Amino acid sequence: MASSPCGSGNFDSGLEIKTRSVEQTLVPLVSQITTLINHKDKPKKSERTQQAIQRVGQAVSVAVGRFVGVGEAIAVENEELKEEMGMACFEARRAGDAIAKLTDVGMPVATLVDGRKTVFSNRTGMVKAARMLLSSVTKVLVLADRVVIKQIITSRNKVLVTLEQLERVSTFQEFVQIFSQFGNQMVEFAHLTGDRQNDLKDENKKARMAAARAVLEKCTMMLLTASKTCLRHPDCESARINKDAVFHRMRFALEQVMEIVTDARPCGETKVLPLSIYTGIKDFKSDVEGLREGLYSLPQQALSDQLEAVVERTEDFTDSAYTSHEHREGILQLCQLARQDTDQLIVAWREALSLNAKEATEEMELSILKTCQSVHELRRELHKVAVGRAADLLKVHAEHLPLRALKASGGEGNLEAVAEYARTLGEQKEQLVETCRLLCHVSGTEPLEITCIHAEETFHVTGPQIISAAQTLALHPSSKIAKENLDVFCEAWESQLCDMGVLLREINDVFEGRRGVPASGDKRAYLSLPRPGKHSANLKTVKAVKLDTEEQSTIAKLGVDLRLLTSDVDTEVEKWEDQEQDIVRQGQSMSSMAYSMYLFTRGEGLLKTTMDLFHQAEVLSEEGLQLCSSLHTLSTLLMDEEKVVVLSEMEKLMGLCQQLQMGVRTPVQGKTATFQKVDSSIQNTRAIMTVVIYLLPVCNKLVRKYKSERSSLDTPQSWRDRQLSTPVKDDALNGKNSNGFGVKSLEKHMANLTFLESK
C-alpha cells in the first residue's frame, strides 16, 4: 500500500484501483469535480449557472460527509486501520468543506464583474481542494477494500486449520463433527470469494478466481467421501492415495485464491499465460498492419521471427497422433503460404525504404493484405481442427462407457478388469488433455485461455483419482462408502465434460464474433466493499423480483436480438482510428450495458433481479443522452446535408432514451406489471442500440472526412485539439463532454472508466 497522498497535492500516488466497487464509487465524484473545474475559465456567469455551480459544490460536500461517516465506522470496527483511515477521512471532509465554500455565491470571495457575481475566482484553491478530495476519498476506498481482503484471508485461515484437523481424524464421530464445521466455513468462504470475483476489474483474475472456486466446490464433496472411505478402510493404500490427492488439490486451490486476492506470487513470481497461437497471430497482424503508418516501426527481421514463433507452436497440432493426415497437410501448407507472403512483404518493404517512401507503397499494401489473409486462413484452419476434435470427443464420450465399466468391474471385485478399463480411461484422459491444449491456442481471449488451462488440469488430476477410487472398490466390493466415493469422482469427470461443451460454444462465439464484451458499464455500488452493520438500517430497501422459469424463457427470446446488436456495435467500434473519441467511448459503454441486460434475459451475469435490470436500463439511457450531446458537438463541424442526417438520428436517439428513462422510473405493482416493464425495457434498449449501430459507421466516415479536410489546411491544430479548445458551455454542468482535470488525474489508476454521473 502506498503512503497517504492526502497532503501531497498530487493525486498520482501509486494507489491502484483493482475492483469495480471502488472505481464506480469514485465515478460521480470525478464527474462533479470535472464539472466544476471546467467552469474555471469563464468569469461571467448567469445567475442560474452560479446557482447550479453552488448546488454541485454543496452536493459534493454533503456526499463526502456521508461517505466519511461510513469510513469512520469501518475504522472503529478495524483497529489496525484506525490511524490511516482517520487521517484520510479528515482530509476528505476538509476538502469537501473547502469546495463548498469556494462555490458559495454568498461568500466574500465572490467578486463583481459588470454587476454579476463571479464564483470560483480562486483557481489555485479549487484545484488544491479537488486533488486533496480525490486522493483522500480514493485512500478511504482502498483502505476499505483492505478490510474485504482481510475477511477473505481470515476465512481462508479458518478453512486451512479445519482442513488439517480433518486430515488427522481417526474416528467417524470426530470426522462428522469437524466436517460440519468445515462445511459452514466453506460456505462463508464461497460467499466472500464469489463477491470478490464479481467485483474484480481484471477479467483474467476473474477467470482464475472462477477456476479456483470451481475446484474448491467439487473437492468439498470429494473430500467427504474420500475421507469416509479412508476411515472405513484404513489399511487400503489406494484409498489413502485418493484422499491425499483431494487434500493436496484443495490446498493448492486455496493458495490460488489468495494469490488473486492479495495480488502476490510466491518468491516474487508473476503469473504468465503460455503464449497461444491466437495471441501470436494477433500480435503479428498488428505489426504487419502497423507498417502502413510507420515503415520504420520495427526491424525487418522481427516479422520473420514472429511468424516462425507462431509456426513452431502449430507443432502442437501437427505432431499430435490424433491429427488426421489431411489436417496435418493443410496446416503445413498454410504455414508455408504465410512464410511466402511474409517474405514478399519484406521484399516490398525494403524496396519502399530504398525509395525513401514515407508510407506504404501500393505493392506493399497488397503484400500486407495477402499476409494478413494467409495468417487468418491459418488461424481458421487451426480453429476448425481444434473445435472439430473437441466436438468429436464429446460425442464419443457422451455415454461415459469407461466410467460405467470401472464401476461394474470394481463392484465385482475384478482387479484385472479395473486395470484394463483404467488404461482406456487413461487414453481418454490424454486425448482430452491434449484437446484442451489445442483449444487454448484458438480460444480467442485470455479469460477463455485460462478456462482451457483449468479444464486441462482438471482432466489430468481427476483421471488418476477415478482409477484409485475404482481400485479401492475392487479391493472392497461390498463397501457402500467405496462405491459412493467412486460415484462422486465419476460425476466430477462427467461435469467437466459438460463444462467443456459450454467452453466449446464460447470459443465458437468469439471466433464468429457473436460474443459481446464484459459488462464494464455496470453501475453497482459496493459489490464487495464492507458495510458497517450499524449503518445498514439507514439504507432504503426496494423490493426486488426474480423472474420465474416461464417468464425467463419468454424474455430470453427478446435478448437474442440484443446480443446480436451489441456484437455489431463492437465490430463498428473497432473500425474507429481514435478509440478515445467520445462517440466511441459512449458507444462501447452502451454496448457493454446492453450486453449485461442480454445476460439477464438468460438468467446470467451480474444483474440478478428486475431492480438490477431497471437500474442498468436507466444508466444506459443516461449514457445515450451523453452520446446525443457528443453527436450535437460533431454536427457543429459538418456541412448542412451531413448535419441534417446526424441531427435527425440524434433526435430519434434522444426520444428513445427519454422514453426508456421514463419507463424504468415509473413504479409498478404486481407480477404481471413488473414483467411488462421488463419487456418494455428490453424492447426500448433494442431500439436504442439499433440507432447506435446506424450512427457509428456514419459518424466514423464523417470524422475521417473532416480530419482529412482539416489536414489540408494551414493550421497547426488537429481536429482533436479543436475539440479540446472549444469553450465550455453552461450545459456542461449536466455532465456533457467533460474533459477536465478530474479525468486526467485518474487515468493512470482507472483504466476504461465509464463516466456515469450520479443523478
Side-chain angles (χ1 to χ4, degrees):
M1 179 64 61
S3 60
S4 175
C6 300
S8 67
N10 181 9
F11 179 68
D12 296 326
S13 57
L15 290 173
E16 184 182 358
I17 298 170
K18 299 174 183 177
T19 59
R20 290 181 179 177
S21 55
V22 172
E23 182 179 271
Q24 293 300 328
T25 304
L26 282 170
V27 170
L29 179 63
V30 174
S31 183
Q32 288 170 329
I33 289 180
T34 299
T35 296
L36 295 175
I37 295 295
N38 279 348
H39 280 70
K40 72 359 176 148
D41 290 328
K42 191 174 180 182
K44 295 184 181 181
K45 296 179 177 67
S46 66
E47 191 70 27
R48 182 179 177 184
T49 299
Q50 292 179 49
Q51 291 173 357
I53 293 174
Q54 183 174 359
R55 284 197 301 273
V56 172
Q58 290 172 344
V60 169
S61 180
V62 171
V64 169
R66 287 197 296 263
F67 175 81
V68 165
V70 176
E72 290 170 342
I74 292 171
V76 170
E77 296 171 5
N78 298 271
E79 186 66 29
E80 71 279 8
L81 297 179
K82 193 170 185 178
E83 185 176 349
E84 278 187 284
M85 183 70 86
M87 179 60 70
C89 288
F90 172 78
E91 295 289 356
R93 195 187 295 276
R94 189 172 71 171
D97 291 343
I99 287 175
K101 290 178 182 178
L102 287 166
T103 55
D104 188 352
V105 294
M107 289 296 291
V109 295
T111 59
L112 290 175
V113 178
D114 294 338
R116 290 184 178 182
K117 285 185 179 179
T118 302
V119 297
F120 223 172
S121 57
N122 188 353
R123 154 81 173 162
T124 304
M126 175 56 72
V127 171
K128 184 177 179 181
R131 286 182 179 277
M132 182 182 293
L133 180 60
L134 288 171
S135 60
S136 55
V137 166
T138 304
K139 180 73 171 182
V140 171
L141 287 167
V142 173
L143 287 172
D145 193 56
R146 276 170 53 184
V147 176
V148 178
I149 295 173
K150 174 189 169 186
Q151 290 172 345
I152 296 174
I153 292 173
T154 301
S155 179
R156 188 282 306 253
N157 290 342
K158 290 179 184 177
V159 169
L160 274 179
V161 169
T162 312
L163 199 62
E164 290 178 3
Q165 293 173 350
L166 280 173
E167 202 169 13
R168 295 195 303 265
V169 296
S170 55
T171 67
F172 268 104
Q173 184 178 3
E174 185 183 9
F175 174 79
V176 169
Q177 290 175 345
I178 297 176
F179 189 84
S180 176
Q181 179 185 351
F182 176 77
N184 292 332
Q185 291 171 347
M186 284 301 296
V187 168
E188 177 193 5
F189 188 71
H191 281 305
L192 289 172
T193 54
D195 286 344
R196 190 67 177 181
Q197 177 184 321
N198 287 334
D199 200 12
L200 288 168
K201 287 171 56 183
D202 189 314
E203 293 296 327
N204 291 356
K205 288 183 180 179
K206 188 176 290 189
R208 287 175 57 210
M209 179 75 90
R213 292 179 70 245
V215 170
L216 291 172
E217 180 184 349
K218 291 177 181 177
C219 279
T220 299
M221 181 55 70
M222 293 177 181
L223 184 144
L224 173 62
T225 58
S227 297
K228 285 166 61 180
T229 304
C230 221
L231 286 169
R232 177 59 58 89
H233 309 290
D235 298 326
C236 182
E237 180 66 12
S238 58
R240 184 192 62 77
I241 291 172
N242 185 259
K243 170 191 162 185
D244 288 348
V246 176
F247 275 89
H248 174 77
R249 196 159 188 230
M250 283 204 79
R251 287 194 175 94
F252 183 73
L254 286 167
E255 190 60 35
Q256 281 185 312
V257 171
M258 285 302 99
E259 289 172 9
I260 299 162
V261 169
T262 61
D263 204 27
R265 295 282 296 170
C267 304
E269 299 174 13
T270 56
K271 184 73 175 180
V272 179
L273 289 175
L275 198 58
S276 67
I277 292 174
Y278 164 78
T279 303
I281 288 178
K282 184 178 70 171
D283 293 343
F284 176 75
K285 284 182 67 177
S286 176
D287 284 345
V288 167
E289 292 173 338
L291 293 175
R292 293 190 177 106
E293 305 299 327
L295 298 181
Y296 302 90
S297 56
L298 71 161
Q300 295 175 25
Q301 187 60 33
L303 287 184
S304 296
D305 292 344
Q306 278 183 285
L307 181 63
E308 286 308 312
V310 170
V311 170
E312 183 179 343
R313 288 193 285 277
T314 63
E315 292 174 2
D316 285 346
F317 289 77
T318 55
D319 290 354
S320 170
Y322 306 109
T323 300
S324 69
H325 176 72
E326 180 185 353
H327 283 147
R328 184 177 293 106
E329 287 300 311
I331 292 169
L332 291 173
Q333 287 175 10
L334 288 170
C335 287
Q336 188 58 33
L337 178 61
R339 284 193 183 104
Q340 292 173 0
D341 289 340
T342 302
D343 290 342
Q344 289 177 3
L345 171 59
I346 292 173
V347 170
W349 184 12
R350 286 173 179 164
E351 186 177 338
L353 291 176
S354 68
L355 297 173
N356 295 321
K358 294 183 178 179
E359 58 184 22
T361 60
E362 289 186 13
E363 183 182 355
M364 191 174 166
E365 177 64 32
L366 181 61
S367 294
I368 288 173
L369 292 173
K370 288 179 65 179
T371 303
C372 289
Q373 181 62 28
S374 61
V375 292
H376 175 74
E377 290 301 323
L378 174 60
R379 182 197 166 199
R380 180 179 291 278
E381 179 66 17
L382 295 171
H383 174 86
K384 184 174 73 173
V385 171
V387 169
R389 182 190 296 183
D392 290 343
L393 270 179
L394 289 175
K395 287 178 184 177
V396 169
H397 302 314
E399 297 182 5
H400 311 295
L401 296 180
L403 300 184
R404 291 182 182 181
L406 281 170
K407 288 178 183 180
S409 55
E412 295 168 358
N414 190 337
L415 282 169
E416 290 184 3
V418 166
E420 179 184 346
Y421 291 121
R423 285 192 292 271
T424 302
L425 183 66
E427 292 173 4
Q428 184 182 113
K429 180 205 74 175
E430 291 302 321
Q431 284 183 309
L432 289 166
V433 165
E434 185 179 278
T435 302
C436 289
R437 198 172 299 135
L438 300 188
L439 286 175
C440 184
H441 275 306
V442 301
S443 58
T445 69
E446 287 191 1
L448 286 179
E449 285 181 25
I450 291 168
T451 308
C452 290
I453 293 170
H454 165 67
E456 178 186 339
E457 292 172 349
T458 301
F459 285 125
H460 184 74
V461 172
T462 310
Q465 289 178 312
I466 291 174
I467 292 170
S468 62
Q471 289 169 343
T472 302
L473 178 59
L475 291 169
H476 308 279
S478 62
S479 173
K480 292 182 179 180
I481 289 179
K483 181 180 182 301
E484 179 190 14
N485 187 47
L486 177 57
D487 287 341
V488 166
F489 282 94
C490 288
E491 286 169 8
W493 181 272
E494 293 167 7
S495 172
Q496 189 57 51
L497 284 172
C498 291
D499 291 345
M500 188 174 176
V502 174
L503 174 62
L504 200 58
R505 288 196 297 273
E506 290 182 341
I507 290 172
N508 266 325
D509 283 349
V510 169
F511 184 79
E512 295 172 14
R514 293 197 301 261
R515 182 174 178 177
V517 296
S520 61
D522 291 329
K523 186 180 180 182
R524 298 171 61 86
Y526 298 99
L527 289 174
S528 70
L529 291 181
R531 304 139 169 107
K534 63 182 180 180
H535 290 273
S536 60
N538 297 326
L539 299 177
K540 183 179 179 182
T541 58
V542 181
K543 186 177 180 181
V545 180
K546 286 192 175 183
L547 301 181
D548 61 28
T549 306
E550 183 179 349
E551 291 170 336
Q552 195 76 60
S553 175
T554 303
I555 210 72
K557 297 174 184 177
L558 292 174
V560 175
D561 287 344
L562 205 55
R563 183 195 69 177
L564 295 174
L565 285 168
T566 58
S567 179
D568 290 341
V569 169
D570 296 336
T571 301
E572 289 301 328
V573 160
E574 290 177 0
K575 297 177 182 178
W576 283 65
E577 294 178 355
D578 182 5
Q579 291 291 309
E580 297 302 315
Q581 221 277 348
D582 283 346
I583 293 173
V584 174
R585 180 173 55 79
Q586 289 152 352
Q588 283 177 322
S589 174
M590 294 175 71
S591 174
S592 295
M593 288 185 271
Y595 189 76
S596 71
M597 294 172 71
Y598 152 68
L599 290 177
F600 173 85
T601 67
R602 293 181 53 177
E604 302 172 3
L606 289 175
L607 308 182
K608 302 299 183 185
T609 67
T610 53
M611 285 305 303
D612 292 339
L613 177 75
F614 299 148
H615 183 66
Q616 183 71 98
E618 183 176 3
V619 175
L620 183 143
S621 68
E622 292 171 359
E623 192 73 0
L625 293 173
Q626 295 290 327
L627 176 57
C628 289
S629 179
S630 299
L631 293 169
H632 185 271
T633 301
L634 174 63
S635 71
T636 62
L637 308 173
L638 304 176
M639 303 297 290
D640 289 344
E641 291 182 5
E642 298 166 341
K643 180 182 293 188
V644 169
V645 173
V646 172
L647 289 179
S648 173
E649 293 300 317
M650 182 200 77
E651 289 173 3
K652 188 187 299 184
L653 178 61
M654 186 178 296
L656 289 169
C657 289
Q658 290 171 344
Q659 183 179 340
L660 176 61
Q661 204 168 61
M662 290 175 62
V664 296
R665 289 177 178 176
T666 302
V668 295
Q669 292 183 345
K671 185 176 180 181
T672 302
T674 300
F675 178 73
Q676 289 174 347
K677 185 174 175 180
V678 170
D679 180 89
S680 174
S681 299
I682 299 295
Q683 297 273 19
N684 286 337
T685 301
R686 189 169 61 178
I688 287 171
M689 297 310 296
T690 301
V691 177
V692 172
I693 192 60
Y694 173 80
L695 277 167
L696 281 171
V698 171
C699 292
N700 190 14
K701 181 180 178 181
L702 293 174
V703 168
R704 286 172 179 265
K705 178 182 176 183
Y706 185 82
K707 290 174 72 174
S708 176
E709 291 173 353
R710 294 303 303 172
S711 65
S712 65
L713 301 177
D714 295 326
T715 174
Q717 284 187 307
S718 68
W719 183 77
R720 181 168 176 79
D721 293 333
R722 285 171 56 85
Q723 275 198 313
L724 293 175
S725 63
T726 301
V728 179
K729 299 180 180 180
D730 284 354
D731 62 6
L733 280 170
N734 296 320
K736 299 177 182 177
N737 296 320
S738 300
N739 284 308
F741 151 80
V743 183
K744 298 302 179 186
S745 298
L746 284 173
E747 278 181 342
K748 292 183 182 177
H749 308 289
M750 299 165 67
N752 301 321
L753 181 64
T754 302
F755 283 86
L756 305 173
E757 185 166 351
S758 176
K759 297 295 179 183

